[in-house]
Amino acid sequence: MENIMFFAFSCVVILLGSSRVNAKTVVSPSVSLTPTPAPAPASDFVNLTELFTVAGPFKIFLGYLESTKVIETFQDQANQTEEGITIFVPKDEAFSSLKKPSLSNLTAEQLKSLLLAHALPHFYSLAEFKNLSESNPISTFAGGQYAVNFTDVSGTVQLSSGWTNTKVTSSVHSTDPVAIYQINKVLLPKAIFGTPPPPSPAPAPSPDIAPVADIPSGADGDNALSPKSPPPPSSSYRIISWSILNYIVLAVSGAFISFL
Ligand SMILES: *[C@@H]1O[C@H](CO)[C@@H](O)[C@H](O)[C@H]1NC(C)=O
Ligand SMILES: *[C@@H]1O[C@H](CO)[C@@H](O)[C@H](O)[C@H]1NC(C)=O
Ligand SMILES: *[C@@H]1O[C@H](CO)[C@@H](O)[C@H](O)[C@H]1NC(C)=O
Ligand SMILES: *[C@@H]1O[C@H](CO)[C@@H](O)[C@H](O)[C@H]1NC(C)=O
Ligand SMILES: *[C@@H]1O[C@H](CO)[C@@H](O)[C@H](O)[C@H]1NC(C)=O
């Protein structure tokens, strides 16, 4: 009898020890908060003109789309629900901060290509860009000459047009078949502007991790934001439940011991 009780007690002690180890080593994984768009309900007709008018400050981009009639090309594609469309929209600030290579002396054809180079003739959710980045360069609506490269940095989608490097700062609309993402800069295609002059040495901007919906300062935003990572979810509930278990086990073994 005593042997059995001793065996039971040792088991309890071993169990206790291992549970402690478990409680310490089971670290809850940090959850990456990739913004996944809500699953698409029955897709209705999306009026792009209306969307650009209501969302964001996208007046300048919309103005260019209308003056070049590219809006009709985009709307036509948006109407084709089986492929859909993905449009990268520079906010108004992006155009006003665009000084060095200006859009003012582009030919009508070049301006049209530049606008078309802001879209992909297929719907992509944000989550799909990680996969898409493995097939770089990706042809835009303007064709393979106007391809862009995507990179996924911890859930932040960055894109390069050869001249311009920017990132998706927010998802304006992402319901199949229409995806509209806000970007910080106007994409200047290499096919029109060539390659940019080598950048002057500047402090390396800190990479952003979480996509940020809006940038309050007038700054470009690439430097204005500090890296943010979601705080690891608390693992205290685990520890609490383990200590409750430990407590029960202790109480039970205590009862055994007093029984002896
Ligand atoms: C889209 O919205 C614009 C602005 O509200 C409107 O002028 C236009 O007629 C609409 N187009 C369609 C096809 O509904
Ligand atoms: C897109 O579809 C809407 C609604 O069916 C229609 O009114 C509009 O003319 C279409 N636009 C284009 C460019 O196909
Ligand atoms: C626009 O003008 C700038 C200088 O004023 C020039 O370097 C550039 O090549 C011009 N772009 C086009 C497309 O003509
Ligand atoms: C990833 O991309 C490849 C083509 O590049 C495609 O065949 C595959 O289905 C994609 N996978 C997912 C999960 O989207
Ligand atoms: C995309 O990446 C490839 C390979 O790194 C590079 O050769 C090409 O110039 C890039 N294109 C753009 C538009 O950034």
Side-chain angles (χ1 to χ4, degrees):
M1 180 64 183
E2 240 177 65
N3 279 348
I4 290 165
M5 293 314 287
F6 179 72
F7 178 70
F9 184 65
S10 327
C11 285
V12 160
V13 168
I14 288 163
L15 187 76
L16 263 176
S18 68
S19 75
R20 286 240 168 76
V21 169
N22 278 349
K24 285 209 178 91
T25 53
V26 175
V27 177
S28 18
S30 73
V31 178
S32 122
L33 295 175
T34 312
T36 331
S43 58
D44 291 315
F45 164 65
V46 177
N47 185 333
L48 291 179
T49 308
E50 208 166 85
L51 194 57
F52 286 136
T53 308
V54 175
F58 302 135
K59 269 202 181 82
I60 300 177
F61 188 68
L62 178 60
Y64 278 122
L65 291 181
E66 286 176 328
S67 69
T68 55
K69 305 237 189 295
V70 167
I71 189 75
E72 286 167 24
T73 311
F74 283 177
Q75 185 64 63
D76 202 23
Q77 181 71 18
N79 282 8
Q80 288 167 29
T81 51
E82 64 287 350
E83 273 300 327
I85 191 168
T86 300
I87 309 175
F88 300 99
V89 193
K91 49 188 182 173
D92 285 353
E93 274 170 40
F95 287 93
S96 43
S97 65
L98 192 67
K99 291 199 180 72
K100 253 198 281 168
S102 125
L103 305 185
S104 56
N105 63 349
L106 294 184
T107 65
E109 244 356 87
Q110 285 172 323
L111 184 58
K112 213 170 152 181
S113 297
L114 179 139
L115 294 168
L116 288 169
H118 282 75
L120 308 174
H122 183 77
F123 169 84
Y124 292 105
S125 68
L126 274 180
E128 286 175 285
F129 284 102
K130 201 184 181 82
N131 190 31
L132 198 62
S133 67
E134 279 152 29
S135 319
N136 281 333
I138 307 295
S139 295
T140 63
F141 222 118
Q145 224 189 322
Y146 296 87
V148 289
N149 282 343
F150 290 100
T151 38
D152 182 294
V153 181
S154 318
T156 299
V157 179
Q158 309 200 331
L159 60 164
S160 165
S161 67
W163 181 293
T164 314
N165 295 304
T166 189
K167 65 182 178 200
V168 170
T169 48
S170 72
S171 167
V172 177
H173 182 96
S174 183
T175 305
D176 202 349
V178 175
I180 314 257
Y181 303 117
Q182 180 183 289
I183 54 175
N184 272 347
K185 295 177 185 167
V186 181
L187 295 171
L188 302 177
K190 203 158 65 172
I192 296 176
F193 295 92
T195 36
S200 50
S206 49
D208 275 352
I209 291 166
V212 174
D214 209 358
I215 288 96
S217 75
D220 173 76
D222 284 353
N223 303 323
L225 302 154
S226 53
K228 282 188 201 107
S229 56
S234 167
S235 58
S236 55
Y237 77 95
R238 243 182 249 277
I239 289 160
I240 287 164
S241 61
W242 274 118
S243 44
I244 288 169
L245 185 65
N246 286 352
Y247 191 77
I248 291 167
V249 167
L250 268 178
V252 168
S253 58
F256 270 127
I257 290 160
S258 60
F259 186 76
L260 296 171

